Amino acid sequence: MEEKVKKPEDKTKLFPLLMRYGKLRAKQLGTDMKKNTTAYILIAPYCILFLLFYLIPVCISIGLGFTNFNVLEPPRFVGLQNYIDLFFADDIFLTAVKNTFIFAVITGPVGYFMALFIAWMINDIKNKKLRAFMTLLFYAPTISGQAYIIWKFIFSSDIYGIANGWLMRLGVISQPILYFEDASYCMTISIVVILWMSMGTGFLSFIAGLQNVDRTLYEAGYMDGVRNRFQELWYITLPSMKEQLMFGAVMTVTSSFAIHDQLAALAGFPSVRYCVHTVVSHLVDYGTVRFEMGYASAIATLLFVVMLGCNKLIQKVLGKVGR
Amino acid sequence: MKRSLFRHRKRKDASRSAAGNISSFLFLVLMGLFMALPIVLSVSNSLKPMEELFVFPPKFLVRNPTLDNYSDLFNLMSESWVPFTRYLFNTVFVTVVGTLGHVLVASMCAFALAKRKFPGAKLIFAVILAALMFSVQVTSIPNYLIMSKLGWLDTYAALIIPAMAKPLGLFLMKQFMEQIPDALLEAARIDGAKEFQVFYKIALPQVVPALLTLIIFCFQDLWNMSGATYIYSEELKTLPYALSQISAAGISRSGVTAAVTVIMMVVPIVLFMLCQSNIVETMASSGIKD
């Protein structure tokens, strides 16, 4: 009996208290926002564009993933059908997942550590001009547009291509190899080309991070018994550039799941027997060739979830560097 | 000899063995060759006359360099239905307007996010940071639909406006702006400067390296954009598109294709070279805190 009386009493006390607190907070927020009108005006142009071309599209993509949409007719809700089809009825998608996984697992970590080690070695070069030249040399393939086309000449399927021509002259092979028509060659060459252009923005971030490591930390390290360059790297250098390592990781993860353009130019689109067909290739195929926007949106949503998830996971792992 | 190439560290030499220095230098040289040779081959191929391109065994370097491929390219271009200068104008226009717009819009927003504390600032930055973690392909289909709703398909706007919202530029600029001393901005405010004046008179001159970096990155993106999904009219198409049509003609145009590749890669490489030290300075503050 007593308890029944007590409970509503508590509520009547608590509720107005919450209301008053809420009102105060809202008022405070209001004045805070008013004080910062100029700040809101400054961010407005960018934020509107960002909303329009990044945030809203992601929401639309998630929504369209549950529909059947061919642009001509209005989208029709089909529930999880697209996802069910992707995993249980679309063999090519599963091939694409497998290929994307191979590319991501090989070119991601290898590209990342290659960029880190090369930046580290470049940082040891004493001559400033030579250092700048080396940075440019390694970064050039990333920024030189469609220069990857040259690999098509190197691995061309006739006898005039560099690889075939030289192998034949050396007597290793007697017939030209059809590199991009053969699944095993195609995959290997694609990985080489991707690694060739994998330095990216992360590499620049590493170069800059290495230059700014506090020199006195090294001195202290020698006192504490750091004896070789790898100990120095692990205990001093890497922990002091952790933020750049994070940035590089984000750039690498994002780009290693987005591989498509180079492969389409080299191996054709779609590639022979889908040997280097990636998830993005599949997305482009359904989105811009077949105009099955609902299905393509489901692929895009999956890609979005995997990219974000991998990034979060890798940030957790990198948090442990140097410990 | 090789050792003198490396920075002298008096006490630091404790961690640097001579053998290690030499092997790391050799590794760098080998990797450098792997990086450089395809680019050298591109340039060499663009200077080869037709008969040298189809010779067995193939030669890596050109024997009798000629500019025929480049003049062929110009002849091909002048024969096309839309004059070559039109493609060039389109690309230059889209690149310049898009880059300037991006730098202005992103630095304004970055200034407010870095130097003002206002409700929502942290949330907005967190969302933009998350956008670094997925690639453009994720949003390509909705972007197409939005573009068609806005009536921007087949206009310059379809190429220019989305490029202005690139999250990487905003992120780099915000991280760099955080280093501007607050006292400097406060002094200007006390002197009666309006917030916009503080932004472009005090803050912007402090972040010139970051401005150059944003210009280079945005330029690289736009310069290489073919935009074929959004543009149908031939007279609005960009240089990369026109050039890809030439290379699509196949093996008979190998020389011209090489010339095209070289022209397209020279511009971003030269620009990067000119601004390299500024870019490295900006990237120093690119870190993501956990």
Side-chain angles (χ1 to χ4, degrees), chain A residues 59-170:
Chain A
C59 301
I60 293 181
S61 191
I62 294 171
L64 278 183
F66 297 112
T67 67
N68 193 338
F69 182 41
N70 59 6
V71 195
L72 300 173
E73 302 159 58
R76 191 166 45 82
F77 184 77
V78 293
L80 286 172
Q81 196 55 48
N82 287 332
Y83 293 95
I84 293 168
D85 285 349
L86 271 174
F87 285 106
F88 298 105
D90 190 344
D91 286 343
I92 300 166
F93 176 71
L94 296 181
T95 310
V97 169
K98 191 197 83 195
N99 287 339
T100 308
F101 189 70
I102 295 175
F103 280 128
V105 165
I106 297 178
T107 65
V110 174
Y112 181 76
F113 287 110
M114 208 168 81
L116 180 61
F117 276 104
I118 286 169
W120 181 52
M121 287 172 185
I122 287 178
N123 192 51
D124 262 358
I125 296 175
K126 185 189 157 201
N127 185 310
K128 210 178 161 192
K129 284 230 171 84
L130 183 62
R131 211 161 61 210
F133 173 75
M134 284 305 227
T135 310
L136 175 69
L137 179 66
F138 281 94
Y139 190 55
T142 313
I143 50 170
S144 47
Q146 294 171 14
Y148 49 76
I149 288 288
I150 196 65
W151 290 93
K152 191 144 192 160
F153 175 77
I154 297 175
F155 290 108
S156 117
S157 52
D158 51 33
I159 57 167
Y160 308 115
I162 297 273
N164 272 336
W166 287 4
L167 285 176
M168 282 174 77
R169 200 176 58 163
L170 292 171

Side-chain angles (χ1 to χ4, degrees), chain A residues 245-260:
Chain A
L245 293 179
M246 293 273 190
F247 176 78
V250 168
M251 293 287 123
T252 309
V253 171
T254 310
S255 65
S256 62
F257 278 106
I259 295 165
H260 165 67

Side-chain angles (χ1 to χ4, degrees), chain A residues 2 43 85 158 187:
Chain A
E2 258 185 314
I43 66 165
D85 285 349
D158 51 33
M187 194 51 150

Side-chain angles (χ1 to χ4, degrees), chain B residues 66-122:
Chain B
T66 159
L67 287 175
D68 283 356
N69 290 325
Y70 291 90
S71 58
D72 283 356
L73 173 63
F74 276 92
N75 292 336
L76 262 178
M77 282 304 206
S78 57
E79 280 165 19
S80 64
W81 176 49
V82 175
F84 175 65
T85 45
R86 180 73 205 209
Y87 295 119
L88 187 66
F89 169 80
N90 290 341
T91 284
V92 171
F93 180 79
V94 166
T95 306
V96 169
V97 176
T99 303
L100 289 181
H102 173 64
V103 170
L104 179 74
V105 166
S107 56
M108 264 164 57
C109 182
F111 173 70
L113 287 179
K115 285 294 157 194
R116 297 284 299 267
K117 283 190 186 66
F118 56 91
K122 277 198 180 133

Side-chain angles (χ1 to χ4, degrees), chain A residues 244-317:
Chain A
Q244 278 82 13
L245 293 179
M246 293 273 190
F247 176 78
V250 168
M251 293 287 123
T252 309
V253 171
T254 310
S255 65
S256 62
F257 278 106
I259 295 165
H260 165 67
D261 289 348
Q262 315 90 306
L263 304 184
L266 292 175
F269 177 61
S271 44
V272 177
R273 285 193 287 127
Y274 299 103
C275 60
V276 289
H277 200 68
T278 63
V279 172
V280 172
S281 314
H282 212 53
L283 168 60
V284 172
D285 189 11
Y286 278 91
T288 61
V289 182
R290 305 183 200 213
F291 282 98
E292 289 187 31
M293 299 296 199
Y295 198 65
S297 294
I299 301 173
T301 306
L302 280 177
L303 197 63
F304 170 76
V305 170
V306 170
M307 279 177 175
L308 229 58
C310 266
N311 267 309
K312 292 283 171 207
L313 191 77
I314 293 210
Q315 292 198 353
K316 276 222 169 105
V317 174

Side-chain angles (χ1 to χ4, degrees), chain B residues 28-251:
Chain B
L28 257 192
V29 169
L30 279 178
M31 289 303 290
L33 281 177
F34 168 66
M35 289 288 165
L37 286 182
I39 291 188
V40 173
L41 183 62
S42 299
V43 178
S44 157
N45 264 6
S46 77
L47 298 172
K48 281 178 185 169
M50 211 40 151
E51 61 274 15
E52 269 190 56
L53 279 169
F54 296 100
V55 65
F56 180 82
K59 300 273 180 289
F60 191 85
L61 287 176
V62 55
R63 295 294 145 94
N64 305 302
T66 159
L67 287 175
D68 283 356
N69 290 325
Y70 291 90
S71 58
D72 283 356
L73 173 63
F74 276 92
N75 292 336
L76 262 178
M77 282 304 206
S78 57
E79 280 165 19
S80 64
W81 176 49
V82 175
F84 175 65
T85 45
R86 180 73 205 209
Y87 295 119
L88 187 66
F89 169 80
N90 290 341
T91 284
V92 171
F93 180 79
V94 166
T95 306
V96 169
V97 176
T99 303
L100 289 181
H102 173 64
V103 170
L104 179 74
V105 166
S107 56
M108 264 164 57
C109 182
F111 173 70
L113 287 179
K115 285 294 157 194
R116 297 284 299 267
K117 283 190 186 66
F118 56 91
K122 277 198 180 133
L123 177 73
I124 291 171
F125 186 65
V127 172
I128 293 169
L129 191 60
L132 275 182
M133 298 180 190
F134 59 83
S135 62
V136 284
Q137 288 98 342
V138 169
T139 53
S140 59
I141 289 162
N143 269 358
Y144 181 85
L145 300 173
I146 289 171
M147 226 66 98
S148 86
K149 269 271 181 301
L150 291 169
W152 286 358
L153 285 180
D154 210 20
T155 64
Y156 288 128
L159 304 180
I160 294 172
I161 311 280
M164 291 185 186
K166 289 249 151 88
L168 180 63
L170 181 109
F171 171 75
L172 291 177
M173 186 54 96
K174 190 247 176 192
Q175 300 297 79
F176 200 79
M177 285 226 179
E178 286 192 334
Q179 299 167 8
I180 304 175
D182 282 321
L184 198 68
L185 306 176
E186 213 43 58
R189 286 192 191 113
I190 289 166
D191 287 347
K194 293 215 170 62
E195 199 60 18
F196 298 100
Q197 287 173 325
V198 176
F199 164 66
Y200 71 78
K201 282 203 176 132
I202 314 290
L204 275 193
Q206 299 279 322
V207 295
V208 172
L211 286 174
L212 284 171
T213 307
L214 254 60
I215 290 175
I216 301 285
F217 282 178
C218 193
F219 180 92
Q220 283 163 5
D221 280 344
L222 286 168
W223 178 254
N224 288 317
M225 188 166 62
S226 87
T229 1
Y230 301 126
I231 306 282
Y232 322 122
S233 316
E234 200 59 35
E235 63 269 20
L236 291 182
K237 287 196 166 144
T238 58
L239 201 52
Y241 174 81
L243 298 177
S244 72
Q245 290 308 101
I246 290 181
S247 1
I251 204 144

